[in-house]
Amino acid sequence: MHRLLTMKRLSILFLSIFAVLLAGMFAYERLVVAPGDRCEAGGGWWDPEGKECGRPISIAELTGRPNPGERAAASAEKNRELVAIEASLASQQRARDADADRQRVALAAQ
C-alpha cells in the first residue's frame, strides 16, 4: 500500500512550514517593528500608518522666540536695544533743535 503522508514527508512538510513561518517572523521584525524602534531610540515619533519618523521641533525654532530659559537674557538684550534707539532719537532731536535755533538766529540777524 502506498501512503501519501509518510513520516519522511510529514517531517519535511513540518520543517518547511516552520522555516517559512520563522522567515516571516524575522521579516516582520526587520521591516515593521525595527524601524519604529530605531526611530524612537533616536528621539523621534514613529507613525505606523504612514511609516514615517517624525522629529520634534522646538516652538522657538518656528516662531523665532527665545526659549523660556533665555527669556530674561533676551528681555535684557531688547531693553539695551531700546535704550540705544531712544538715545539715538534724542541726539537726533537735539541736532534738529540746534539747527532750528541756528536758523532762527540767522533769520533774526537779517
Side-chain angles (χ1 to χ4, degrees):
M1 178 175 199
H2 184 65
R3 290 191 169 174
L4 180 64
L5 295 176
T6 62
M7 190 59 155
K8 184 177 180 182
R9 287 183 183 169
L10 278 174
S11 63
I12 291 174
L13 182 65
F14 173 76
L15 288 176
S16 61
I17 290 174
F18 180 74
V20 167
L21 289 176
L22 194 62
M25 184 185 73
F26 281 119
Y28 179 80
E29 173 71 28
R30 178 111 173 119
L31 298 175
V32 176
V33 176
D37 291 343
R38 282 193 304 268
C39 176
E40 289 174 358
W45 293 305
W46 178 248
D47 176 25
E49 293 175 4
K51 299 202 181 347
E52 297 179 42
C53 183
R55 298 286 174 202
I57 298 174
S58 172
I59 295 295
E61 292 176 25
L62 294 175
T63 61
R65 295 180 181 170
N67 287 328
E70 302 167 356
R71 188 173 236 162
S75 179
E77 170 82 26
K78 199 55 110 167
N79 287 339
R80 283 191 295 276
E81 192 177 307
L82 289 174
V83 167
I85 290 171
E86 287 173 354
S88 171
L89 289 175
S91 68
Q92 290 173 4
Q93 183 66 36
R94 284 191 301 273
R96 276 195 305 270
D97 291 344
D99 188 43
D101 290 340
R102 185 189 52 81
Q103 289 177 6
R104 276 191 207 103
V105 169
L107 282 174
Q110 288 179 357

